[in-house]
Amino acid sequence: MLYKFKSKATGDLIMLEPQGKHILKLIGKEPGAQGIILPREMLTAIESLNAAVAQEELAHQAAKEAAQNGNVQETGAAPAVDGPRAISLKQRVVPFIDMLRRAHAEDKEVVWGV
């Protein structure tokens, strides 16, 4: 399944199901087949997404520092920070945050599944 986010203020934004669900959960929305984000909810959603990005970046930095210091995590394995990194949450949410900002500025909702 794909999530296709739409707003009259922006172009459509398409995400794969796992990423769409994750982002919706981060902003406190039920990741159902259909939904709406109202303009009055958008600033809070943006703050939630920015907080999640900051938390992920702190965790990555801590893992990187632990690897540089030769520390081993509780699992007994060194964190993988030297190889190719998965797509970060920040990279995934920037287009969504932009959509929310633009929709909020024009007082338009963002919908999916309709």
Side-chain angles (χ1 to χ4, degrees), residues 18-88:
Q19 290 77 29
K21 280 185 174 183
H22 184 198
I23 288 172
L24 289 171
K25 287 179 182 178
L26 287 173
I27 64 171
K29 288 290 187 177
E30 185 64 35
Q34 295 181 341
I36 186 168
I37 304 168
L38 299 171
R40 68 175 182 262
E41 301 170 317
M42 291 178 186
L43 295 179
T44 302
I46 291 168
E47 289 174 10
S48 297
L49 292 172
N50 284 329
V53 166
Q55 183 178 11
E56 180 187 76
E57 289 176 346
L58 284 173
H60 179 71
Q61 184 62 33
K64 187 175 179 179
E65 289 172 6
Q68 289 172 346
N69 294 331
N71 294 341
V72 177
Q73 293 180 345
E74 291 179 16
T75 62
V81 294
D82 293 332
R85 188 171 162 197
I87 296 172
S88 70

